[in-house]
Structure formats: structure tokens, C-alpha cells
Amino acid sequence: MSLITDLEQNKILIGDGAMGTLLYSYGSDFCYEELNLSQEEQIYNIHRAYLDAGADIIQTNTYAANYSKLERYGLQDHVKEINKAAVHIARTAAHNEYVVGTIGGIRGIKPNSISLDEIKRSFREQLYCLLMENVDGIQLETYYDLEELETVLEIARKETSLPIIAQVSLQEVGFMQDRTPISDALNRLENLGADVVGVNCRLGPYHMLMTLEEVPLPNQAYLSAFPNASLPSYTDGRFKYEGDADYFKECAHLFRQQGVRLLGGCCGTTPAHIRAFSSELKNLEPVTEKEVKQRKQKIVIQSASKPKYVPLSEEVKKKQSIIVELDPPRKLDTSRFMEGAKALKEAGIDALTLADNSLASPRVCNSALGSIVQSQLNLRPLVHITCRDRNLIGLQSHLMGLHTHGIHEVLAVTGDPASVGDFPGASSVYDVTSFELIKLIKQFNEGLSLSGKELGEKTSFTVGAAFNPNIRSIDKAVERLEKKIAYGADYFISQPVFSEQRLIETYEATKHIDKPIYIGIMPLTSSRNAEFLHHEVPGIKLSDSVRDRMGKYKDDPKQACEEGLLIAKSLLDTAMELFNGIYLITPFIRYELTVELAQYARANHPSLLARRSQNA
């Protein structure tokens, strides 16, 4: 007898429940798959508990037993022995019941977190380990990324004729995170050779049933469902699921009505939940017909509201454009900051850029100051967004807030690690890279969140990206620039450059790029300031000649500041001959310096753009 034969003979099979939930409740909070080697009896007892509760199928404790995930624990060289032990334990626990080898998704909700080539390599290794131990089938579960699941399913189908269960996980009822309808996704998996297709994890019975209402019975495959017990709570530093097993008993018949032939549990479920399913469905035949609910998706995404200002990426193509960075203050008194913003506005700048807790030090919220600058001074804010301080939830909330405040210019940056700032014990989040943040912002411009949910309205963000021309190989910097363009960057803002020769090299290396570049110019204030920037600030290097010039006045602060302005003006002259965009960086809120530079630029290069247009 085989698993598929049982399904063909009109049986409803009961799967097991969560492994990790029980191990977590017993106090295990390390690598659950390693316990196949060190706590064999504990894993055996959990298998037996599910079998005694009525499970017909148990999964090996191998959800994350692949190279990519075991590497987090330094166990990447133990893939074979961990998978082998897992099958041995499950086989010992099972009598006449089926043992399927489980392989979990790797990408999760971040599609670009790992390449498909690495996924293939890792998957093949684990798949071969499980097949060598003669499992009764393969269960692919918790795949948020449909591309990943299709990729590994094709590999598995070519390598074995054993039954394959392929299950997706959803962020939203009825849809994959790339907006593929669940019915289409399961149909694609069936066509790729999956014997059982279904849904597991994240959703509890209520929302999983809503999802299955839209899914017709497959033509050749069978439907499965492995719901979570409930949404987890977090109490006293531990996650806890409150799902009631009696509730699962009530839901069992509803899953049967939706055509489910393999029913088990995922996160939060215990033998009690599986017993509830088993007691209700063990002797019942599955339905062979169902009415599919055609949920009318009334998708209404309003067009993006027209921004108050012409996007910088367009404006800089038509005229010489100057933007100035003025850091939000470290203290609550914003009077000097506002004085500086007003003075820069009067100097004719096109935007005020506001860093996001630069150098990982807490400052007044840049989006709050940006909103004030825009409303009180009618000065366009360009708000930096770092990947360091916010997780995926916070980033999306932040973007929604910026849109609500009418702030449409943003700069996507990685952000200095927390360890360099005032609170080195703070955590750096980095849920996404700057590349992925750019892509996320562009997805908002389509009216969709990261998970594919409609936002009800398109945003109209113009996305700037960071560019560092100071690295040894300018070609490497340009490669990153081109990659950011592929992710959706509209224009670039560079780190400050302190060499005319580097400005020329940067121009030559980027003149084929069709996206504007705002080149960074920063006035130095002292020799000590110059040495600090050169030696201690990531991404900034000064030429020896600049450091020597500043060093001549290390004992004369006033003359040193004047020398710094002379250097900046000379750099500015060269930069404005080569680039339409100029990015002035204000040191220590000494806005008088950038005001003078902005005025100098306007006064000394008034007809440069016209000459350039004529030459073109």
C-alpha cells in the first residue's frame, strides 16, 4: 500500500502537527534538527504522540535540515547525518503509518535573500539524503516564494517517483506574495507533478478555509491543509499559541467540505489538535465535488497623487540642481536647524536632505522635520531611509507615513551599523538591503505592499540611491550603481569627493549612465575634521594634498575653515563642469558654510546648463 493508493481509495488521511512547537514548549530553543542526533528519544516521543493521536502520516524532523539553514548553527557539514537520523527515528516510531521526508522553504518572505543556484544546491543535497533512507514520500512545505517551490518541485519530480506533497504559505487570504491567486499556484504545482497540493502555516483554520473556498478540486492531485493553531502571543519572553483543540474538531468537517484529503497541523498544533481532526474524519470519505466560491476581488488602487514638486530626477536633467544635507539635531531644540533650513531656502537650493540617524546616533526624526520644513518653509525635503533601524513592518509603516505627509523624495541607504554609534549594544535590523528597499519603495508606487496587499492608492516616491566613488576601484562602484538602477533607483547621491582628479574619473566612469548623479561636496572645518573623515568615517577618503592644506592651519581655526571653503569651491567648480547635480553636505549644522557654497555656485555658474544644452 502507498500513500497515493490510500488517497485514491477515497480516504481522508491525517497528518501530524507541529514539531518545533512541542520542542519549544519543552525548553528547546536551539536547532531543532540537531536534536535528531542529541535528543533522539525526545523526537521519537513526539512522533509517537502524534501517531497515538491518530496520524496516518508523520514528517521527519528535517524542515530546516539543509546546508543553508544549518550553516547558522555551524552544522552545515552534518546535513547527511541529521537527515539520516531523522528518518531512522521516524521509522522506529511508525508501525504501518507513512513517513514523509520534509523539506522547508528557504527564502521566506524575502525572495532575493538567497539565489536559486544556492537553493538548488542545498535542496539536492537534502533530497538525496532523504531518498537514500527510503522515505515514503517528500513533503515540501512553508514556501512563500512560488518561484522557489516550482524550482525545487521540478528537481524532486525528476529524481523520484515517490509521492510529493507541495504546500505554499500565504501572507494574505487567497494570494501568494507575488499576487498569484492560490488556485493558479496550486494548479501550476499539480502540472509540475505534485501528487498533493495545498496550504500550510501562518493561517489558522478560519482564514485557511476562506482560501480553500476559492480552490477547485485538482484534476489529478489531491488537496491538503495544515493550519496553524492560532496567532501566537508573546508573554514573558516566550511565544505561546492559544489554539483550542475543540475548535479544530468543529473545523474538521469544514475542511472535508472543501475537498481536503490530507489534513494536519502546523505551528502551535499539538497531538490534541490532531486527535480532534482524527476523531471526526477517520472513517469518512472525502467529497468528490464542491462548489467553488468566486470571490470578487474588487481591486481599487487610486492613481498616485501629483507631487507638490517636480521630481528631482527630472529637475536635474533640465537645470543645474543643488541639494543640501542638514542633519537633524541630536537634542530637542530645533531652532538652529530651522534657521539653517530657512537660510538655505533663501540661497535657492532645490531640496533639503535629512539623514536618518547618521552614524547610528539618535536624532530628531527626519520625517517629522521634513514635514515641518515642507509646511512652514515650502522647502522640499529629501528624507533618507536606512535599513538599519526598522524591520519590514516598520519600513512599510514609515513609507505609508511619508506618503501621508506628502513627502515623495526619499534616499534608500543601508545605514551605518549600530555598533559605530552612541548605543553599540543596540541591534541593527537589516531585514532588507538597500537594493531590496529600493524595490520595495517602487512596489509601493504600484499600490502594493511587500506581501502584495493593495494599499488602496499608488505612492509617488522618487527614489535616490547612495553612490560611493571613493573606493579603490571605481568600476566596482559603478557596478553597484547599475545594479541599483535595475532595482529601480531614479538618481544617485554620492559620498563627498575631495579630489578634482577623482571627480573627473567619476564622470568618465559614469557618463554612460542615464540616471542623474548628485556629486557630494563637503566643506572641511579643520585639520582634525579632515583627519577624522579620512581615517574614521566609512566611505570617505581625502587626498594627501587636501590633508596637507588643512594641516597648515591646524592651530588657526578661522583660517582652517576659510581654507576648507576654498577647497570646496575649487571642487565645486570642477563638479559643476561635469555634473548637473550638486550635493552639499553641512558639517556640524554650520549651515553658513553650505549657504556660502550654494550662493557661490549660483553666482559663478549661471549659464552653465545653457552652454551644455547648446553643445548637446
Side-chain angles (χ1 to χ4, degrees):
M1 192 71 73
S2 74
L3 189 159
I4 297 303
T5 302
D6 271 348
L7 291 171
E8 288 173 344
Q9 292 181 352
N10 283 341
K11 291 183 179 180
I12 296 176
L13 298 182
I14 304 299
D16 58 6
M19 173 68 72
T21 296
L22 292 182
L23 291 171
Y24 187 72
S25 70
Y26 298 161
S28 299
D29 193 13
F30 176 55
C31 175
Y32 297 146
E33 289 72 24
E34 188 278 335
L35 298 180
N36 295 325
L37 303 177
S38 62
Q39 298 289 335
E40 179 178 343
E41 184 177 357
Q42 192 175 33
I43 305 302
Y44 171 89
N45 289 337
I46 291 174
H47 284 320
R48 274 307 328 160
Y50 281 121
L51 292 165
D52 292 342
D56 302 300
I57 300 171
I58 57 172
Q59 304 176 59
T60 55
N61 180 35
T62 53
Y63 171 78
N66 57 66
Y67 184 98
S68 295
K69 290 189 174 180
L70 290 177
E71 188 177 21
R72 302 171 189 172
Y73 305 99
L75 297 169
Q76 65 271 23
D77 295 329
H78 300 278
V79 173
K80 181 178 180 180
E81 58 186 305
I82 288 175
N83 281 275
K84 181 177 181 179
V87 179
H88 172 74
I89 297 169
R91 279 281 182 222
T92 304
H95 297 151
N96 297 317
E97 297 88 358
Y98 299 111
V99 172
V100 294
T102 291
I103 304 177
I106 296 176
R107 279 183 169 177
I109 63 171
K110 296 197 288 184
N112 299 305
S113 60
I114 185 170
S115 70
L116 281 180
D117 286 341
E118 178 59 25
I119 286 171
K120 290 176 184 178
R121 191 205 70 77
S122 186
F123 178 81
R124 284 192 174 97
E125 181 183 24
Q126 185 179 7
L127 175 66
Y128 296 156
C129 290
L130 292 170
L131 293 178
M132 289 292 290
E133 298 306 314
N134 296 316
V135 291
D136 297 314
I138 297 295
Q139 182 152 327
L140 310 175
E141 67 170 26
T142 320
Y143 282 81
Y144 287 91
D145 185 74
L146 186 57
E147 179 186 41
E148 179 188 5
L149 180 52
E150 289 179 315
T151 298
V152 299
L153 174 56
E154 285 189 274
I155 294 172
R157 188 71 292 168
K158 289 178 182 178
E159 296 297 331
T160 181
S161 59
L162 289 174
I164 298 177
I165 303 163
Q167 297 185 140
V168 299
S169 295
L170 309 179
Q171 292 287 342
E172 181 183 357
V173 170
F175 289 90
M176 298 290 292
Q177 66 180 10
D178 66 355
R179 301 306 297 163
T180 301
I182 179 63
S183 56
D184 291 353
L186 298 186
N187 184 56
R188 284 159 59 171
L189 297 175
E190 180 184 8
N191 290 336
L192 287 173
D195 300 286
V196 180
V197 294
V199 186
N200 82 289
C201 204
R202 194 176 185 280
L203 304 180
Y206 177 80
H207 290 106
M208 196 166 283
L209 285 164
M210 285 180 63
T211 292
L212 291 172
E213 288 174 353
E214 305 173 33
V215 177
L217 296 177
N219 294 320
Q220 301 295 328
Y222 302 98
L223 278 180
S224 66
F226 282 64
N228 280 1
S230 64
L231 295 174
S233 61
Y234 190 69
T235 306
D236 298 329
R238 295 188 68 81
F239 289 100
K240 186 177 181 181
Y241 288 87
E242 304 288 350
D244 188 344
D246 289 338
Y247 175 55
F248 268 50
K249 183 178 291 189
E250 296 172 12
C251 293
H253 294 282
L254 298 177
F255 279 107
R256 174 179 174 270
Q257 291 170 18
Q258 293 306 320
V260 172
R261 294 206 188 191
L262 172 57
L263 183 60
C266 204
C267 299
T269 57
T270 66
H273 295 86
I274 300 308
R275 184 174 291 107
F277 278 160
S278 177
S279 65
E280 294 299 306
L281 301 180
K282 201 71 168 181
N283 297 315
L284 295 182
E285 292 186 353
V287 300
T288 55
E289 294 181 358
K290 67 176 281 192
E291 181 179 348
V292 178
K293 186 173 183 178
Q294 299 294 333
R295 181 173 284 109
K296 294 182 180 180
Q297 274 299 109
K298 189 177 180 181
I299 301 175
V300 179
I301 301 179
Q302 298 179 14
S303 299
S305 56
K306 187 176 181 180
K308 184 176 181 179
Y309 308 97
V310 175
L312 285 173
S313 58
E314 297 301 320
E315 190 164 303
V316 70
K317 294 177 183 177
K318 300 174 182 177
K319 72 179 188 70
Q320 201 88 49
S321 177
I322 299 175
I323 62 177
V324 178
E325 179 175 313
L326 187 65
D327 275 349
R330 294 173 181 265
K331 297 182 179 180
L332 295 176
D333 183 359
T334 61
S335 56
R336 179 157 176 81
F337 172 88
M338 293 303 295
E339 288 172 7
K342 183 179 179 181
L344 288 163
K345 158 78 174 176
E346 292 170 352
I349 70 168
D350 296 300
L352 189 73
T353 88
L354 301 154
D356 191 8
N357 297 326
S358 58
L359 293 179
S361 297
R363 296 171 179 270
V364 174
C365 174
N366 64 351
S367 59
L369 284 180
S371 181
I372 294 171
V373 163
Q374 182 165 269
S375 61
Q376 293 186 9
L377 302 178
N378 193 25
L379 176 58
R380 169 174 28 201
L382 194 170
V383 173
H384 301 198
I385 305 175
T386 70
C387 302
R388 176 196 59 234
D389 295 336
R390 302 173 189 87
N391 63 14
L392 282 169
I393 300 168
L395 282 172
Q396 293 181 88
S397 175
H398 189 53
L399 288 169
M400 294 168 76
L402 289 171
H403 172 78
T404 302
H405 275 285
I407 296 175
H408 303 289
E409 295 282 352
V410 294
L411 176 70
V413 294
T414 300
D416 303 304
S419 58
V420 308
D422 294 345
F423 296 92
S427 60
S428 296
V429 181
Y430 299 128
D431 267 1
V432 293
T433 65
S434 58
F435 300 100
E436 293 163 337
L437 178 55
I438 293 168
K439 184 178 180 181
L440 169 60
I441 298 169
K442 285 296 188 174
Q443 191 163 319
F444 265 56
N445 283 355
E446 296 301 317
L448 300 173
S449 71
L450 177 68
S451 64
K453 287 185 178 181
E454 294 88 10
L455 297 170
E457 183 178 342
K458 293 181 179 180
T459 59
S460 51
F461 291 115
T462 302
V463 187
F467 168 50
N468 183 11
N470 296 311
I471 65 175
R472 182 170 300 177
S473 173
I474 187 69
D475 291 338
K476 293 292 184 183
V478 173
E479 285 179 13
R480 284 182 61 83
L481 184 150
E482 291 171 334
K483 183 178 177 181
K484 289 180 179 180
I485 291 174
Y487 275 79
D490 296 303
Y491 63 99
F492 294 90
I493 297 177
S494 88
Q495 290 276 23
V497 179
F498 293 94
S499 160
E500 278 87 355
Q501 181 60 37
R502 177 56 68 166
L503 287 172
I504 295 170
E505 292 170 353
T506 300
Y507 170 75
E508 292 296 331
T510 61
K511 62 184 179 182
H512 66 287
I513 300 294
D514 64 352
K515 300 295 182 182
I517 296 174
Y518 281 86
I519 203 75
I521 304 292
M522 180 179 181
L524 298 167
T525 59
S526 66
S527 176
R528 186 175 181 182
N529 170 227
E531 294 303 310
F532 170 75
L533 291 172
H534 180 75
H535 292 288
E536 298 192 40
V537 177
I540 296 180
K541 289 297 178 185
L542 277 62
S543 66
D544 291 340
S545 62
V546 166
R547 292 166 59 204
D548 289 342
R549 286 176 65 178
M550 294 302 296
K552 290 179 182 179
Y553 304 103
K554 61 182 178 181
D555 297 321
D556 188 342
K558 183 178 179 181
Q559 189 61 45
C561 191
E562 290 179 2
E563 188 68 18
L565 275 172
L566 286 175
I567 293 170
K569 288 175 181 177
S570 178
L571 291 166
L572 195 52
D573 288 336
T574 302
M576 294 190 78
E577 291 287 344
L578 302 172
F579 298 92
N580 258 16
I582 299 297
Y583 167 48
L584 301 178
I585 303 162
T586 306
F588 314 117
I589 309 192
R590 296 180 65 175
Y591 63 83
E592 298 89 352
L593 302 178
T594 41
V595 166
E596 182 173 339
L597 288 175
Q599 292 171 337
Y600 173 84
R602 294 297 188 203
N604 288 273
H605 300 275
S607 59
L608 185 61
L609 181 61
R611 294 201 310 273
R612 191 175 297 160
S613 299
Q614 290 171 2
N615 292 336

